[in-house]
Amino acid sequence: MTVYSINKGIGWASSGVEYAQAYRGQVFRKLGVKAKFIFTDWISYENIAHLTRNLGFKDREIIWLYTFFTDFEVRAGSFTLDDLEKVLPPILERKPLNKAVRYIFANDFWATAYLKDLSSGIVDRVEYVSGANLVRKDYYSYGHYCSEFYAPESNRAKLYQRRFYNEDGTAVYDEIIDGDQEIFKFKDDILYSKHELLIKMLRELNFSKKDIILIDRAEDQGQEILENRGKARVGTIVHADHFSEAETNDATILWNNYYEYEFEHADQIDFYITATDLQKELMEEQFLKYKGKKPQIYTIPVGSLKELKKPDFASRQPFSLVTASRLASEKHLDWAIRAVAKAKKALPELSLDIYGSGSERTMLEEVIKEVGAEDYVHLKGHQQMDDIYQHYQAYLTCSTSEGFGLTLMEAVGSGLAMVGFDVRYGNPTFIADGENGLLLPYDRLATVPEHVNEMSRAIVKLFSSDLPATSEKSYEIASKYRDKQVAKLWKKAIESELHRD
């Protein structure tokens, strides 16, 4: 029996979906459940094993669509500059660069080897240039698994072909690319789209009635998964709010486009998994009201806690706030900065540290300067947060939608007081108003200054409360999310599905 989780991409600044998968992998290992995590996006900037290892996946658990048809395993890079130099043309000059080395050859031909890091000398990819034109990129893990070929067009390098290899260097298949058109040529087969490539992989996995498929991302691949599931049970993981409230009325509902395919084809989905009881109950009501159906829905938190972090409360930095998330617009971190700047007038020692990376960083830096908060609001970048929360007194979230909120769970697991808006689904799950923090009323039609003022007043009120008592209530809430409790939920769901008719 194998549980397959199907996603699209993964990166260094991954979303909650990838973190949820990483937590799931930990649980399955403890249960002794064989798990495979399938990624279907093309990843060019990094060996996929470095990205998956970064989140705690085991190499043996990863299936990547593009190397699935070769004998290359997903494995950390070990192909070095020394290995590369053995296969390069005669080298006229070698120039060290930042995380790269440039090699100059004869006849205006040169190559740049991009490294995992300078100290290891492990090669991720090599780009070859003839004159001023990029002509080829070679990708490496423990060997050379792919080449890309380019031709000049309108003063730019145009990708027209990828070739994938076995470990011994023999070609397995080619991907021919012409704009949005992709053709995959095998020795005995031609596939006319990436959809057909995905179908080929799904069929070769030969799913049995003892297997379970979990769909983490269905966009552009949901139909292929459902039509090529074999005899496996199929479930959908609902990671976010599943419908648009503004476009829903008594007669119709607008599903979130990320889940629309699975929701509209509920007869082909064996079960759904939500992260909170609040979302499960709402989905059940909506399916019955709008579709006349009663689907099987399990509540299983997308994360779990190995332990509760319990330092002496006196060791925490006084008047310290922390928040952690992608630096994305829906997190409204600019509201948090402005709210802290206002609250600072009543709480002179107040500080806020923001952890995470993302596209909004430059904008947030500008907001910090605008409100003059450089001395007490800091962007800390992406870090492993396990042992960081416990140094703070309170956690602040201005997000207006959290399907679960892994950082909320981690914060209560470190005993932080909590403050956030009363929005679906994570905030009311982890914030008990007046007990472990403050849950603020949220009006989506209100102005930004109104939201900021509401949050600012709440911060002042929070730090006027009994924070040690609040901390104990957070630990009480967190206790329901220990590894053992979540593992039991997964075990029950898996056994139920495998024994359902």
Side-chain angles (χ1 to χ4, degrees):
M1 189 276 285
T2 304
V3 179
Y4 295 87
S5 298
I6 303 182
N7 196 351
K8 298 189 74 177
I10 187 170
W12 287 115
S14 292
S15 73
V17 176
E18 289 72 55
Y19 281 101
Q21 288 188 310
Y23 275 109
R24 192 185 314 154
Q26 294 175 10
V27 171
F28 286 171
R29 282 177 226 124
K30 290 178 181 178
L31 289 174
V33 171
K34 184 180 178 182
K36 295 289 185 180
F37 295 88
I38 299 173
F39 295 91
T40 62
D41 275 356
W42 169 247
I43 297 170
S44 62
Y45 58 89
E46 187 85 27
N47 177 355
I48 189 174
H50 300 158
L51 304 174
T52 53
R53 282 188 174 197
N54 180 56
L55 286 184
F57 293 103
K58 304 297 182 184
D59 291 347
R60 66 178 183 274
E61 297 171 340
I62 304 302
I63 294 175
W64 188 29
L65 171 63
Y66 287 90
T67 54
F68 174 81
F69 306 98
T70 76
D71 60 7
F72 266 97
E73 300 174 357
V74 172
R75 196 190 299 173
S78 60
F79 190 87
T80 65
L81 286 171
D82 288 341
D83 297 323
L84 175 66
E85 290 173 7
K86 293 174 184 176
V87 299
L88 289 176
I91 300 168
L92 300 182
E93 188 178 355
R94 187 181 190 274
K95 295 181 178 180
L97 305 173
N98 182 28
K99 285 188 68 174
V101 175
R102 179 160 295 169
Y103 296 96
I104 309 298
F105 314 117
N107 301 317
D108 200 20
F109 184 48
W110 47 279
T112 305
Y114 293 89
L115 309 177
K116 179 177 181 292
D117 54 67
L118 283 174
S119 59
S120 69
I122 291 174
V123 178
D124 275 335
R125 74 183 186 279
V126 181
E127 298 184 357
Y128 294 89
V129 176
S130 178
N133 299 313
L134 173 67
V135 294
R136 194 174 90 221
K137 292 182 183 180
D138 289 344
Y139 295 92
Y140 295 87
S141 57
Y142 57 92
H144 175 205
Y145 65 84
C146 176
S147 289
E148 289 183 338
F149 301 94
Y150 293 80
E153 183 177 284
S154 303
N155 296 318
R156 299 186 66 180
K158 179 183 178 181
L159 172 65
Y160 66 89
Q161 181 180 351
R162 291 191 183 106
R163 175 165 289 173
F164 295 88
Y165 304 96
N166 279 325
E167 292 179 0
D168 64 4
T170 57
V172 179
Y173 72 99
D174 289 340
E175 178 185 3
I176 309 302
I177 302 164
D178 185 7
D180 294 334
Q181 298 267 328
E182 299 167 303
I183 297 176
F184 299 87
K185 298 178 67 175
F186 291 78
K187 290 180 181 179
D188 56 356
D189 201 5
I190 297 179
L191 309 175
Y192 293 93
S193 68
K194 182 180 173 181
H195 294 288
E196 292 187 22
L197 186 73
L198 176 60
I199 289 169
K200 180 178 175 68
M201 180 187 72
L202 294 171
R203 289 177 176 172
E204 291 188 17
L205 285 170
N206 193 27
F207 300 116
S208 76
K209 63 181 181 181
K210 293 183 178 179
D211 294 326
I212 292 175
I213 299 171
L214 300 176
I215 304 175
D216 282 289
R217 293 191 194 274
E219 188 181 17
D220 294 328
Q221 57 188 20
Q223 181 176 348
E224 289 77 13
I225 295 168
L226 292 181
E227 290 179 353
N228 297 277
R229 61 190 290 179
K231 297 180 180 179
R233 308 290 291 181
V234 176
T236 286
I237 311 293
V238 183
H239 290 281
D241 209 348
H242 58 275
F243 75 110
S244 171
E245 186 171 10
E247 304 298 328
T248 296
N249 54 44
D250 283 341
T252 60
I253 186 168
L254 179 65
W255 302 122
N256 181 329
N257 62 301
Y258 290 112
Y259 306 112
E260 183 177 11
Y261 188 85
E262 305 105 289
F263 280 34
E264 290 297 329
H265 294 80
D267 56 326
Q268 298 177 51
I269 299 291
D270 295 301
F271 61 97
Y272 299 86
I273 294 178
T274 64
T276 67
D277 285 329
L278 292 172
Q279 190 167 18
K280 174 189 175 182
E281 292 162 4
L282 183 56
M283 277 179 58
E284 287 173 337
E285 292 173 6
Q286 291 171 336
F287 264 105
L288 187 60
K289 177 177 180 178
Y290 297 103
K291 300 297 179 182
K293 296 178 179 179
K294 295 182 179 180
Q296 176 65 55
I297 304 175
Y298 300 96
T299 297
I300 305 178
V302 293
S304 59
L305 299 165
K306 291 181 181 179
E307 60 180 343
L308 304 184
K309 306 284 187 178
K310 290 190 170 184
D312 187 314
F313 192 84
S315 69
R316 299 175 188 264
Q317 180 184 344
F319 298 97
S320 58
L321 284 164
V322 63
T323 192
S325 69
R326 287 179 296 110
L327 307 186
S329 59
E330 65 270 20
K331 303 301 181 180
H332 301 298
L333 292 165
D334 53 327
W335 298 2
I337 295 167
R338 295 183 188 281
V340 168
K342 283 182 171 292
K344 180 80 170 177
K345 297 172 184 177
L347 302 169
E349 296 179 65
L350 188 65
S351 66
L352 169 65
D353 285 345
I354 300 171
Y355 291 85
S357 58
S359 60
E360 296 268 297
R361 184 180 180 97
T362 300
M363 182 275 288
L364 296 175
E365 290 173 342
E366 292 173 355
V367 174
I368 290 170
K369 290 179 182 178
E370 176 192 334
V371 299
E374 295 97 326
D375 292 338
Y376 57 90
V377 177
H378 303 106
L379 301 178
K380 308 288 280 187
H382 178 75
Q383 298 187 36
Q384 291 294 336
M385 296 296 295
D386 302 40
D387 297 315
I388 290 179
Y389 293 103
Q390 61 190 308
H391 300 298
Y392 297 87
Q393 290 187 327
Y395 187 90
L396 170 65
T397 173
C398 288
S399 174
T400 52
S401 178
E402 290 291 343
F404 180 71
L406 286 168
T407 58
L408 302 177
M409 178 194 72
E410 293 164 351
V412 295
S414 290
L416 274 70
M418 309 289 289
V419 59
F421 294 111
D422 188 2
V423 291
R424 296 186 298 259
Y425 297 93
N427 285 7
T429 297
F430 293 105
I431 305 175
D433 187 41
E435 297 182 57
N436 78 320
L438 297 172
L439 200 58
L440 312 181
Y442 175 73
D443 179 356
R444 61 187 178 88
L445 299 179
T447 65
V448 170
E450 288 173 315
H451 295 314
V452 169
N453 289 336
E454 185 77 25
M455 182 60 71
S456 176
R457 289 190 292 268
I459 292 169
V460 174
K461 183 178 179 180
L462 185 71
F463 281 101
S464 302
S465 66
D466 185 348
L467 288 180
T470 301
S471 177
E472 288 304 313
K473 181 61 181 180
S474 281
Y475 285 127
E476 182 183 325
I477 292 171
S479 64
K480 295 183 291 185
Y481 299 91
R482 299 290 298 273
D483 284 354
K484 288 183 178 179
Q485 281 77 6
V486 175
K488 287 178 182 177
L489 295 174
W490 271 114
K491 186 173 187 292
K492 183 177 179 181
I494 290 170
E495 290 177 348
S496 296
E497 287 305 311
L498 292 179
H499 292 94
R500 279 175 64 193
D501 294 332

